[in-house]
Each structure stands twice: as C-alpha cells, then as structure tokens.
Amino acid sequence: MARYELVKRSVALITLTNPPVNALSSAVRHAMAKSMEQALNDPKVTAVVICGENGRFCGGADIREFAGPLRGPPLVPLLDAIEAGEKPVVAAIEGVALGGGFELALVCHYCIAHFKVNHFVLKIIKAVGMSRAAKPLSSRRVSMLTTPCPPDLDALLEVVTMEVKKKARGVMAPLACIQAVRAAATMPYSKGIKRESELMATLFNSGQARALQYCFFAQRTAGKWTLPSGAQWNNSKPREIRSAAIIGLGTMGRGIVVSLARVGISVIAVESEKKLLETGKQMVIGMLERDAKRRGVSASLNLLKFTLSLQDLKDVDLVIEAVFEDMALKKRVFQELSKVCRPATLLCTNTSGLDVDALAGVTDRPHLVVGMHFFSPAHVMKLLEVVCGPRSSSETIATAMSLGKRMGKVSVAVGNCPGFVGNRMLKPYMDQATFLLEEGATPEQIDKALEDFGFAMGVFRMSDLAGLDVGWRIRKESGLTGPDVDPKNPPRRRHGRRYCPIPDMVCEQGRFGQKTGRGWYMYDKPGGTNAKPDPLIQNLLEMYRSRYAIQPRNISDQEIIERCLFALANEGFRILEDGIAARPEDIDVIYLFGYGFPRHRGGPMFYASMVGLERVLERLEHYHQAHPDVPHLEPSPLLKKLVACGSPSVQTWREHIKTMHSHL
Ligand SMILES: CC(C)(COP(=O)(O)OP(=O)(O)OC[C@H]1O[C@@H](n2cnc3c(N)ncnc32)[C@H](O)[C@@H]1OP(=O)(O)O)[C@@H](O)C(=O)NCCC(=O)NCCSC(=O)C[C@@H](O)CCCCCCCCCCCCC(=O)O
C-alpha cells in the first residue's frame, strides 16, 4: 500500500502501491501515516521523497471505497503533518496527481514533475539540498503563503458563477468550488480549509456525488462486453487496423474519416459522384486542419485518399459504410464490398437503426460484419454503439470495440434490434413530448422542464438541431404518415395505438429545423442557432386542439419529467429484458455520451433507481391508466420484477436479468 525504503542511508523513499492508480485508500493513508512518522523520527533521514508505483503518482481518493462507510485515517491531518515536518518532502510526480493526490503534492515542500524517481532520487535530493540552502523550509509551506485577494473579488466570482450556472445547470460541485475559492481568498488558511471541508461534506453526501461516482465506473464497465458464447473483452483478441475505408462523405462519413485519420489510420474515402467527392474532400481537409491546429500537431493529410471507385478498397483492413439510411442501398453496397474486398476485411455499417444482420446476410462473410453506430458530429461525439449481430464473431466485436477506444470513443456493445439501444429509447421519450403538446403544453415549456432537469437541450431544440425531415422520412417509409397510411386508421391512431401527427404537420410546412430557419422554433436565418418561440407553432397547436376537440390543460413540469423520463427508462427495462443491452450501466453510458443526459443524474436507469423503482412503477401505472392506448407507458415486466424483489441497487440488476433472453 505504501513501500518504505532508505536510499543511500539518508533519503526515505515512500512509494504508493495501490494499483491501478495508487489511489488513497484507507490502507494507503494508514501506511503513509506510518511511513511519514518513521521518516520524521529517524535521525538518519534527511529528506523524504514520495512517488507512485508504475508511472502514476496518485489518482486521488479511492473511489471504490465511497460505496461503503468511510474508514481509516482522514487525509487532512496526514497532509498537515507532511507540510509541518522539519524534513524536506519531495513529491516526485509521474503521470497523474488528481484530487487528493494533487493535495498531497501541494503540501510537499517540493514537486518535481515528469520524473522517473527510481532513477533520479539522488539528483532530486541534491536539487532540494541546494534550494534548501537558499530558502528555509518555512517558505515552502503552502499554508504560510498569503493568497492575493483581488479588490473586485465579488464581481469576479459573480461573473464566474453566472457562467457556471449556464454551463453546468443544476450541478452543485462547480458552485461549491467557487465558494472554496472565495474562502481561500478571504480567510486565513485554517479557516479556509475548514470551510472547504464543510463544502466537501455537503457534496459528498449528495445524490449528485453518488450519480457521478456511478457514471465513473459505468463508463469503465461499458467496455467490458460479453457474449452468451463466453467470448468476452478479456479473452478475444482484436485485429490490428492499419487501413480503413469510409463509403459516403456526408456529415457522418466526414466525421468518421477525421476520427480515424487523427489516430494514424490510413483512410480511403469513397463517394459516388465527382462533385460530392470534391466537396467532401475539402470539408475533411478543413476539419483535419482545424483539429490539428487546436491540438498543436500537424494535420495527417498524407493518410487520406479520395476515390470514386470501390475497386480501390481491395486491400483495406476494415470498411465503414456511411451511405444514406436506406436498406436497399446499403445492401447493394455490402454485396459490392463482398466482391471487391479481400476475404479478411471487416465490413461495418454506420446505420443508426437498420437490421445489421440483414446486411450481414448479403455478404460472403457475415461473421465479419458489425455495426459501428457513430453519433453526429462523429469526430466530436464520444459515443460509439457497437452493434453485435447474431453472426458477428468475437474477433470482429473485439476489433470494433478496440478501434472505438483508439479513436477516443466510449464504445458500448449492444444487440441488434430496430434503433439498437439509444434510438429505440428515444421513440417513447419523443412520443411523450408530442402527446404533451396535444394535451396543452408548448415546445418551450417542455424544453425548459428538461433543461432545468439538466439536459443540455430539450427534446424540441434537439430535434431542430438534428433535422425534422429524418424522422418524417422514416415515418413515411413505415406507413405512419403520407399516402401509404391505411385509411381505416382513425385520426390520431395508428395500429391501434395513439399517434400524434403534429411533427408531420410541422414538416409538411417545410419546417425541418435549424437548417431551414424554422422548425419547432424560429431562427434568425437558415442554419441559425438562436431558438425563439414561433407564434405560428402556437397557432398550429391551437387549431389542432380545436379540430380534435381537445381541451388544453395546465401541465406541470413534474408531469413532463415523469412522462418523458419514466417512459424512457421503461423502454430501457424492456431493452434489458430483451438482452439488447447487457446491463443498466451500458444504457446509462449511451444516454450520457450520446444524448446529453445530465451526468449528475447518472443516466436514465440510475435516475429511475434514485427516484425509487416503486415510485416509477406507481407513476407509470397511473399514466398508463390515463392513456391506455400508449403501450410505452405500461410498466415493463422487469421493472415489476425488480420492485417485487425489493428494488435492489442498480449494480445488482444484472443478477435479475440473467435468466432472461440475451443477445449479448
Ligand atoms: C486516473 C485516470 C486519469 C486514469 O485514466 P486511464 O484512462 O489511464 O485509466 P482508467 O480511467 O481506465 O482507469 C484505470 C483503472 O483505474 C480505476 N481508477 C481510476 N481512478 C480511480 C480512483 N480514484 N479510485 C479507484 N479506482 C480508480 C478505474 O476504475 C480503472 O479500473 P478498471 O478496473 O476498470 O481497470 C482516470 O481513471 C481518472 O480520472 N480517475 C479519477 C480520478 C479522480 O477523480 N480523483 C479524485 C477522487 S476524489 C478526491 O481525491 C477528493 C479528495 O479531496 C479526497 C481525499 C480524501 C481521501 C479520504 C476519503 C475520505 C473522504 C472524507 C473526506 C474527509 C476529508 C479528510 O479525509 O480529511
């Protein structure tokens, strides 16, 4: 936990040894306290060096211990003892020094960054000796320093507070940090530290802390996929990918090219027409150049090749198809790829919801076919859904997961069903929002409730950004709207269920969102981003309600949140039942990284567990009774089962799902 060695008979070397990141667990704090005492009391010791094993100084508090009651010695008295000691203490920092690890470094009298200690302890000590001769130890104590307090501190912090409130809506920690900075600037050290401890205690005991800790581990668990066959992340070897091809240079394709090229993979980009190819090429080059400038590196343009011919793909390791969302077109592309690419080439599709196995079925290598569902813009968004078809081999899945990681994505393995996890859950969420419009709410009221909850954007602003025509086309193709609607359907019903045609009516007016300057909101110009309520939408809603004799009612924010988010989580439970996601953490990670779900709420499944499963069940039953023609509001069997089992913690739901059907 902390190794103590005497180097050259005069230097105490204390090495933190708590893999993987040398976090300050109770055992580490205990061992550190003992080692420091030994070093300070040993007359032979003239200086102390603290370092971390395996190239990592310290990752801060051991977050694994936060789940239970806190044990062991507190950190602050240990830090005080180090700082007040009469022997110079040096923090030899390799890798990370985060949270409590950073505090530890700060109280040491000297910090040396980027140092291989094991090799240079004596050099460190020599350097310290020289500085010590120049400066007495008291001048090295952080607690003795006075903090400069700017005269306009209040105004300054006011501005920062406003900024933080806008950027991190409803999040407690950044506001507490501002208060801690105020304490540091206005109080003596001992009082400031006390104030900081109070603030920390408040945060520490909050639901937000639990949610954030859950998110931290959920993100790391998500990469650990398993298949019913027993193949899993730690027994399946990914292939090395040196070259890749992208088919289609639309928004998605361009982002994927950039994501691959900036991690050193050669990319061949294919388009069907010269003009499209040239436009795509210019945009990719511009994106890569801007990205390289921001990161202070040179743009990897030499890795790119642009072509109109699929024949150029014969030697690539992997292809990602990113053509228009049309099954027939995608099938033609996959058939063609089967002919052109060498037999070992992996064939991936960026479809956002079509059947990956149907695509695999038209190839000569269904085991090498997998979905790689990027989120737009693909070079910015961190999420990647890796869609495992029933015939995808474990090597194929391992390769897609590892490629995602290499591109800096948070990759989550999911099963194959319409919409996969993210987009399948989006439907009931958006349906509830449009039903609420029918019943009396406005787009801005619904968005405000969701944004106050913490979403970066409410559902209507998000739809305007994404483009309303995409969903309209899908609804037309599936016969929900347009000329193919079965005339036997009564108004506002399809297939015996409630259906809200308002989104179709908005599209019929050519309002496709930001790109047309009009959607659920109005914008200054096409492509504008400043959303303003549009009286035309208010009129449309009023006319619609009067046409169908709907008496608008006042809808509370609570109802908006419950109906949208409980319907979302309910579909998550069904996804778990169906084995499309292996665990609730995977669903939450998808919503955190792909759909702007507020991190301090932990994701839809964690949020449901925080509200209380019993309460979620009771509210869904209530709403389903009020809207029996909305099947998404009918509580899922898994939710009922979990409530019947006493609402176990989200981390143990997997035990209750085990017996159910699994695609993963
Ligand atoms: C460290 C990282 C940057 C590494 O990133 P990398 O990408 O290389 O690797 P991974 O992220 O995949 O992580 C690898 C592996 O390590 C696990 N892990 C990482 N960090 C921790 C950790 N801090 N604790 C436990 N485990 C950790 C991770 O789960 C992976 O495991 P796996 O099994 O999946 O391989 C990156 O990981 C990172 O950013 N980590 C988080 C760092 C962080 O947030 N640190 C701050 C923690 S909070 C803190 O330090 C606050 C302090 O002020 C409090 C210190 C007090 C300590 C005592 C506790 C008592 C609390 C009561 C307060 C009373 C005050 C008093 O004590 O006096």
Side-chain angles (χ1 to χ4, degrees):
M1 290 292 134
R3 198 171 53 238
Y4 184 91
E5 293 161 81
L6 200 58
V7 180
K8 295 280 176 190
R9 281 187 248 123
S10 62
V11 178
L13 177 63
I14 301 174
T15 309
L16 309 186
T17 57
N18 182 18
V21 298
N22 301 319
L24 296 167
S25 64
S26 65
V28 169
R29 299 195 305 276
H30 188 77
M32 283 265 305
K34 243 178 93 185
S35 300
M36 274 312 296
E37 197 184 339
Q38 185 175 350
L40 293 176
N41 289 336
D42 184 345
K44 292 194 289 305
V45 172
T46 56
V48 183
V49 175
I50 301 176
C51 65
E53 199 171 50
N54 292 332
R56 282 173 154 161
F57 181 70
C58 177
D62 195 326
I63 307 172
R64 290 168 296 193
E65 291 188 348
F66 288 175
L70 294 171
R71 293 171 293 115
L75 187 69
V76 172
L78 170 62
L79 300 183
D80 287 346
I82 292 173
E83 201 207 28
E86 285 305 329
K87 295 180 183 176
V89 183
V90 182
I93 303 170
E94 255 192 289
V96 289
L98 298 171
F102 186 54
E103 292 174 57
L104 172 62
L106 283 180
V107 297
C108 291
H109 308 108
Y110 296 88
C111 288
I112 301 182
H114 292 299
F115 231 90
K116 298 275 180 202
V117 176
N118 293 338
H119 299 153
F120 298 101
V121 170
L122 292 176
K123 282 193 186 171
I124 295 175
I125 298 310
K126 204 168 154 204
V128 168
M130 281 159 52
S131 337
R132 204 183 166 195
K135 282 187 186 173
L137 211 49
S138 59
S139 69
R140 308 291 314 171
R141 294 190 173 110
V142 174
S143 63
M144 309 294 275
L145 303 177
T146 45
T147 317
C149 179
D152 53 351
L153 181 74
D154 284 337
L156 195 72
L157 293 184
E158 184 70 17
V159 173
V160 177
T161 303
M162 303 271 277
E163 283 285 304
V164 163
K165 280 188 174 164
K166 227 187 307 164
K167 280 196 185 143
R169 208 187 276 244
V171 191
M172 293 161 68
L175 294 176
C177 287
I178 295 173
Q179 292 186 52
V181 168
R182 179 190 293 280
T186 55
M187 292 175 176
Y189 179 82
S190 57
K191 281 198 174 154
I193 282 287
K194 193 163 166 277
R195 177 77 186 119
E196 191 193 68
S197 296
E198 288 162 6
L199 290 165
M200 178 162 167
T202 308
L203 293 177
F204 205 75
N205 293 318
S206 68
Q208 294 196 5
R210 280 177 60 198
L212 293 168
Q213 287 152 22
Y214 166 84
C215 291
F216 178 80
F217 288 115
Q219 183 180 340
R220 279 145 188 89
T221 307
K224 297 176 180 165
W225 56 275
T226 55
L227 294 182
S229 64
Q232 55 185 39
W233 63 282
N234 56 1
N235 64 16
S236 306
K237 201 165 175 282
R239 283 202 206 157
E240 193 181 342
I241 300 297
R242 292 203 185 88
S243 60
I246 305 303
I247 306 186
L249 279 180
T251 312
M252 289 307 293
R254 295 194 291 262
I256 301 171
V257 173
V258 171
S259 304
L260 289 163
R262 70 181 170 199
V263 295
I265 295 172
S266 300
V267 188
I268 304 179
V270 190
E271 252 303 349
S272 55
E273 288 173 29
K274 204 165 172 204
K275 196 165 166 233
L276 293 175
L277 186 73
E278 196 46 42
T279 310
K281 178 177 173 178
Q282 294 314 325
M283 294 193 81
V284 165
I285 290 174
M287 284 157 79
L288 268 173
E289 281 176 342
R290 282 192 297 278
D291 179 74
K293 193 170 168 200
R294 211 185 54 245
R295 294 192 293 142
V297 296
S298 53
S300 39
L301 302 182
N302 57 329
L303 294 172
L304 302 178
K305 181 176 168 179
F306 295 86
T307 181
L308 290 170
S309 169
L310 283 183
Q311 296 299 327
D312 288 343
L313 310 191
K314 59 183 187 329
D315 292 324
V316 294
D317 297 327
L318 172 142
V319 180
I320 303 175
E321 161 280 305
V323 301
F324 207 57
E325 199 69 353
D326 173 329
M327 187 50 128
L329 172 64
K330 285 183 191 281
K331 278 188 173 170
R332 280 201 300 281
V333 169
F334 271 75
Q335 278 165 339
E336 202 56 34
L337 288 172
S338 278
K339 287 186 212 149
V340 169
C341 298
R342 62 188 169 83
T345 300
L346 262 64
L347 304 181
C348 312
T349 172
N350 176 51
T351 176
S352 56
L354 297 177
D355 185 350
V356 171
D357 196 46
L359 291 174
V362 302
T363 70
D364 59 348
R365 62 197 82 180
H367 63 295
L368 296 185
V369 175
V370 69
M372 289 185 79
H373 178 209
F374 291 80
F375 286 70
S376 185
H379 61 301
V380 176
M381 294 293 283
K382 294 273 283 179
L383 180 65
L384 177 71
E385 276 184 326
V386 171
V387 188
C388 313
R391 290 179 276 181
S392 313
S393 73
S394 53
E395 186 193 32
T396 303
I397 296 167
T399 305
M401 292 292 286
S402 127
L403 181 59
K405 191 167 183 192
R406 188 167 158 199
M407 288 186 283
K409 306 289 178 202
V410 178
S411 310
V412 185
V414 299
N416 183 35
C417 72
F420 316 132
V421 170
N423 286 343
R424 173 171 158 179
M425 287 173 69
L426 204 55
K427 178 156 174 32
Y429 171 68
M430 294 182 78
D431 278 356
Q432 286 308 311
T434 52
F435 295 156
L436 286 161
L437 287 185
E438 289 183 317
E439 292 165 35
T442 60
E444 44 281 14
Q445 185 197 353
I446 294 171
D447 279 356
K448 183 171 181 310
L450 292 167
E451 287 162 16
D452 285 349
F453 177 83
F455 274 95
M457 264 186 211
V459 61
F460 293 107
R461 288 217 296 140
M462 186 190 75
S463 303
D464 271 2
L465 175 68
L468 306 185
D469 48 330
V470 186
W472 192 33
R473 186 162 34 79
I474 294 171
R475 291 194 295 280
K476 278 194 276 192
E477 274 166 15
S478 42
L480 290 169
T481 188
D484 295 337
V485 177
D486 184 344
K488 285 195 235 99
N489 277 309
R492 301 175 54 223
R493 289 184 81 80
R494 299 286 185 272
H495 313 303
R497 302 168 175 197
R498 180 170 173 184
Y499 178 79
C500 172
I502 298 174
D504 303 328
M505 294 161 67
V506 171
C507 288
E508 279 156 19
Q509 296 184 5
R511 304 178 68 113
F512 295 155
Q514 286 188 5
K515 60 185 166 191
T516 56
R518 294 281 186 276
W520 293 108
Y521 293 90
M522 60 181 180
Y523 301 85
D524 311 337
K525 53 177 191 278
T529 53
N530 188 12
K532 290 199 197 101
D534 190 340
L536 289 181
I537 290 287
Q538 311 304 325
N539 285 348
L540 183 144
L541 291 175
E542 278 164 27
M543 277 164 51
Y544 176 90
R545 291 180 198 126
S546 77
R547 186 194 316 165
Y548 293 110
I550 300 169
Q551 187 60 42
R553 61 185 176 87
N554 281 333
I555 294 171
S556 68
D557 285 359
Q558 184 185 340
E559 178 172 349
I560 293 171
I561 294 299
E562 287 183 348
R563 280 185 50 191
C564 292
L565 298 188
F566 294 174
L568 182 75
N570 198 31
E571 191 62 19
F573 285 114
R574 290 187 202 285
I575 280 174
L576 290 170
E577 270 160 34
D578 294 349
I580 295 298
R583 50 196 160 220
E585 286 92 336
D586 290 359
I587 296 178
D588 284 335
V589 166
I590 286 171
Y591 262 76
L592 293 171
F593 288 95
Y595 297 86
F597 199 98
R599 206 173 163 80
H600 65 283
R601 305 278 193 178
M605 308 318 286
F606 183 84
Y607 175 66
S609 78
M610 288 294 270
V611 170
L613 297 187
E614 225 167 308
R615 164 99 183 143
V616 174
L617 175 61
E618 181 260 304
R619 296 312 290 158
L620 279 169
E621 276 167 347
H622 165 83
Y623 289 122
H624 189 232
Q625 212 166 28
H627 308 280
D629 52 354
V630 182
H632 285 133
L633 290 174
E634 182 178 2
S636 79
L638 177 60
L639 172 59
K640 288 182 186 163
K641 181 175 172 181
L642 290 171
V643 171
C645 294
S647 301
S649 78
V650 65
Q651 288 87 352
T652 63
W653 290 358
R654 205 153 183 223
E655 301 302 312
H656 301 268
I657 306 164
K658 249 186 197 161
T659 50
M660 299 190 168
H661 183 59
S662 171
H663 291 263
L664 286 168

